[in-house]
Amino acid sequence: MDLNPTDAVAPSPEPHDGHDAVHHDAEAERFEAMRRELLELIERYTAGIEGVLETAVEGLGVYRVTNPGGPKHSVQKPMFAVIAQGSKRLFIGDEVVEYDPMHYLVASVDMPVVGRVMIRSPDEPYLGLRLDLDIREIGDLIGDENLPQEIASDAASRGLYVNRLDCALLDAVLRLLRLHQSPRDIAILAPMVRREILYRLLMNGQGALLRQTVLQDSQMNRVAKAIRLMRDGYAQPLRVDDIARDVHMSVSSLHHHFKQVTAMSPLQYQKNLRLQEARRLILTADMSVALAAHTVGYESSSQFSREYSRLFGAPPLRDKRRWQEEETTML
């Protein structure tokens, strides 16, 4: 299944008369002006850096990537992301998600992904931002009696989706970024703007998926709990029976809905978590291959090496040399 942004967004209705056409044109001009401002702000804030810059607003990071390199493996935390320039392709299991400056991305649970940044040239680097999502903040907002209660299915759906960016959401994003021009306002105003962004996400497109993640007794909420249990105990032997019991699901139901959300079976998910953590230990903590394998729960070094090669395209030591060469090239 290809989760292209065009599949996730219904086309805008055609204007019915002159008044609607004028309004449509005005909205398009307003959106384009805000998109240019977003580009200018991120370009200014990230001048002279390569990678991510954590800002003074908690959970908000801005990106500049001039040398994208090859695909990058990571575990995508719950977050909301917008691109100002360039585009990005994410591989989730056998599926592909693409987004660009006209769309935003939401991840509602921890998702092992392979990401590829795409740019036209080094003169037009990838520029974007990421806002971490706090499940407690979403829960507080959902508990507000004034929040419109949209009808949502209880069925679990993919935990990562793309939706069309609109003026209301982009305006809130810009106001959050502009707070860096008046740092004294951040402590008071940033939480308000964050709440507005969460509200826009809940009310837009597939926002019902975010609601399901925190709604007690929904299938999405149970899978989210299972993911947290697996994430916290990834180095321990996987006992699906125990996890299913802890989240009040049958084993067959957990397998079915877990794959609906993550595009992976629980065993594939755990293996991905283990290998990504082992890779981090080998590449950035300079840990030996044998110790990294043991640390993440592997008893067999040969099995670890085979599965590492299958996921990352090279055995651990060769992968480390390749990574070091890429780092040297970027300096």
Side-chain angles (χ1 to χ4, degrees), residues 138 141-142 147 198-204 207-208 210-211:
I138 297 173
L141 184 54
I142 287 177
L147 182 73
L198 288 179
Y199 171 77
R200 301 291 178 194
L201 295 179
L202 288 171
M203 299 304 296
N204 287 354
L210 274 180
R211 294 176 184 243

Side-chain angles (χ1 to χ4, degrees), residues 127-146:
L127 300 171
L129 64 85
R130 173 220 75 229
L131 180 64
D132 296 337
L133 297 182
D134 188 324
I135 299 302
R136 291 169 299 180
E137 290 181 3
I138 297 173
D140 290 343
L141 184 54
I142 287 177
D144 191 316
E145 62 182 13
N146 295 309

Side-chain angles (χ1 to χ4, degrees), residues 43-69:
E43 196 164 34
R44 186 192 317 157
Y45 294 155
T46 61
I49 73 160
E50 174 75 10
V52 63
L53 171 69
E54 298 296 338
T55 73
V57 174
E58 184 178 358
L60 178 66
V62 288
Y63 291 84
R64 175 189 288 260
V65 179
T66 307
N67 302 294

Side-chain angles (χ1 to χ4, degrees), residues 39-317:
L39 177 61
E40 292 166 2
L41 285 174
I42 297 179
E43 196 164 34
R44 186 192 317 157
Y45 294 155
T46 61
I49 73 160
E50 174 75 10
V52 63
L53 171 69
E54 298 296 338
T55 73
V57 174
E58 184 178 358
L60 178 66
V62 288
Y63 291 84
R64 175 189 288 260
V65 179
T66 307
N67 302 294
K72 301 292 192 296
H73 294 257
S74 66
V75 177
Q76 188 69 76
K77 304 295 184 183
M79 61 93 198
F80 156 66
V82 174
I83 293 175
Q85 184 168 268
S87 61
K88 192 168 187 179
R89 180 176 296 163
L90 296 175
F91 300 87
I92 308 160
D94 295 328
E95 297 177 0
V96 182
V97 177
E98 294 185 41
Y99 69 116
D100 54 30
M102 302 300 292
H103 300 86
Y104 64 86
L105 178 82
V106 171
S108 60
V109 295
D110 288 7
M111 295 279 287
V113 300
V114 181
R116 181 161 202 146
V117 165
M118 292 168 286
I119 62 174
R120 290 181 180 177
S121 74
D123 294 330
E124 296 183 31
Y126 173 88
L127 300 171
L129 64 85
R130 173 220 75 229
L131 180 64
D132 296 337
L133 297 182
D134 188 324
I135 299 302
R136 291 169 299 180
E137 290 181 3
I138 297 173
D140 290 343
L141 184 54
I142 287 177
D144 191 316
E145 62 182 13
N146 295 309
L147 182 73
Q149 298 303 308
E150 301 295 307
I151 297 174
S153 166
D154 177 56
S157 302
R158 191 70 74 236
L160 185 149
Y161 65 88
V162 168
N163 196 29
R164 185 92 178 178
L165 186 62
D166 61 23
C167 286
L169 182 55
L170 183 52
D171 179 61
V173 169
L174 283 171
R175 280 185 278 115
L176 194 63
L177 276 175
R178 289 188 202 121
L179 287 177
H180 293 86
Q181 298 167 358
S182 53
R184 69 175 186 175
D185 296 336
I186 289 176
I188 298 298
L189 296 183
M192 298 180 185
V193 183
R194 282 178 61 97
R195 185 175 172 87
E196 179 183 346
I197 289 173
L198 288 179
Y199 171 77
R200 301 291 178 194
L201 295 179
L202 288 171
M203 299 304 296
N204 287 354
Q206 295 165 284
L209 301 182
L210 274 180
R211 294 176 184 243
Q212 292 174 28
T213 305
V214 299
L215 284 176
Q216 294 297 320
D217 297 327
S218 72
Q219 300 289 8
M220 191 79 174
N221 178 255
R222 292 187 178 113
V223 172
K225 288 179 180 176
I227 286 173
R228 287 194 291 273
L229 289 171
M230 292 177 63
R231 181 193 62 200
D232 294 342
Y234 69 88
Q236 303 304 316
L238 180 63
R239 295 185 174 87
V240 178
D241 290 10
D242 292 345
I243 293 174
R245 184 183 63 250
D246 290 343
V247 300
H248 308 293
M249 299 177 79
S250 68
V251 172
S252 61
S253 180
L254 175 60
H255 271 280
H256 173 72
H257 292 294
F258 195 95
K259 195 156 189 176
Q260 285 282 99
V261 174
T262 67
M264 303 176 191
S265 69
L267 182 60
Q268 290 170 325
Y269 187 92
Q270 184 206 46
K271 185 186 298 183
N272 206 304
L273 288 181
R274 284 181 167 184
L275 291 170
Q276 296 223 40
E277 175 59 14
R279 190 176 195 237
R280 185 191 69 81
L281 294 172
I282 293 168
L283 298 188
T284 64
D286 204 27
M287 187 178 285
S288 71
V289 173
L291 182 55
H294 177 74
T295 300
V296 302
Y298 277 87
E299 296 180 359
S300 167
S301 295
S302 59
Q303 180 187 359
F304 170 74
S305 186
R306 284 195 307 272
E307 294 183 352
Y308 188 104
S309 299
R310 194 175 301 130
L311 182 62
F312 300 119
L317 292 180

